[in-house]
């Protein structure tokens, strides 16, 4: 007859399993903002100033909205991969908006200075973008055509080798 493990060890083991399960990202379907259209969304520039209204600012151009945060390691790993893609697409007329969802703008400003964060840098301290774009995690990236229709999205880091990005 084997001795039963102490309740404390069993509780510790279950806590560890739960913590690991919460840290492992689940496979996520593509992010889909409400109605699949460029939402009515605005955020202030990261360096300060009046809010930028995406629809008005884009003025009939294709748009990429990239949601990220300075505390998000996958976001920081993604930025060097995303920057050359964004530069190439900007040359073809794509408007790029990188929205930092940090409460305090200090860290994302530092990241923006140290790394090439693409596009117009915006700051959303209340993370309103989570509700507006229908996501609950970062990084998240959305590409809209000239009419504002969603044509591509992901709630995972952007991979430059993704064949769907070559369109």
């Amino acid at each position: 007859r084997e001795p039963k493990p102490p309740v404390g060890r069993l509780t510790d083991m279950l806590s560890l399993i739960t913590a690991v399960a919460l840290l492992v990202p689940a496979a996520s379907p593509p992010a889909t903002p409400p109605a699949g259209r460029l939402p009515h969304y605005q955020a202030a520039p990261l360096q300060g100033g009046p809010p930028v209204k995406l629809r008005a600012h884009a003025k009939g151009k294709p748009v990429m909205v990239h949601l990220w945060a300075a505390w998000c390691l996958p976001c920081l790993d993604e930025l060097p991969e995303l920057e050359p893609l964004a530069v190439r697409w900007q040359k073809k007329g794509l408007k790029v908006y990188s929205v930092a969802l940090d409460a305090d703008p200090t860290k994302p400003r530092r990241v923006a200075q140290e790394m090439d964060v693409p596009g117009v840098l915006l700051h959303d301290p209340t993370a309103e973008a989570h509700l507006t774009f229908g996501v609950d995690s970062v990084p998240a990236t959305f590409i809209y055509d000239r009419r504002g229709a969603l044509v591509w999205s992901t709630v995972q880091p952007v991979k430059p080798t993704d064949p769907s990005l070559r369109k």
Side-chain angles (χ1 to χ4, degrees):
R1 194 171 141 177
E2 292 185 28
K4 292 182 180 178
V7 173
R9 287 183 65 201
L10 184 59
T11 302
D12 290 346
M13 186 175 293
L14 287 174
S15 295
L16 178 62
I17 291 169
T18 302
V20 169
L22 291 172
L23 291 174
V24 175
S28 300
T32 306
R37 307 282 308 161
L38 181 61
H40 291 281
Y41 174 76
Q42 66 180 17
L46 185 58
Q47 300 302 332
V52 172
K53 296 178 181 178
L54 285 188
R55 283 191 173 189
H57 199 259
K59 295 178 186 162
K61 301 265 187 187
V63 172
M64 179 175 83
V65 179
H66 178 247
L67 308 179
W68 66 286
W71 49 261
C72 167
L73 293 179
C75 297
L76 299 178
D77 290 342
E78 174 191 48
L79 288 173
E81 302 279 339
L82 184 62
E83 194 270 336
L85 285 175
V87 168
R88 185 176 75 220
W89 294 335
Q90 283 174 315
K91 289 178 182 175
K92 295 179 180 181
L94 182 80
K95 299 281 275 187
V96 176
Y97 300 90
S98 291
V99 184
L101 302 180
D102 301 79
D104 178 2
T106 306
K107 286 185 181 178
R109 283 182 186 147
R110 192 173 327 123
V111 169
Q113 288 174 348
E114 294 171 3
M115 303 177 83
D116 290 323
V117 179
V120 176
L121 305 180
L122 302 176
H123 181 231
D124 182 352
T126 63
E128 177 188 330
H130 281 301
L131 294 173
T132 303
F133 288 91
V135 297
D136 60 5
S137 63
V138 289
T141 305
F142 307 88
I143 299 177
Y144 300 89
D145 67 14
R146 296 178 196 290
R147 297 177 321 277
L150 181 67
V151 294
W152 187 88
S153 64
T154 185
V155 290
Q156 302 291 327
V158 172
K159 302 283 187 226
T161 56
D162 183 338
S164 66
L165 291 175
R166 295 191 182 129
K167 296 178 184 178

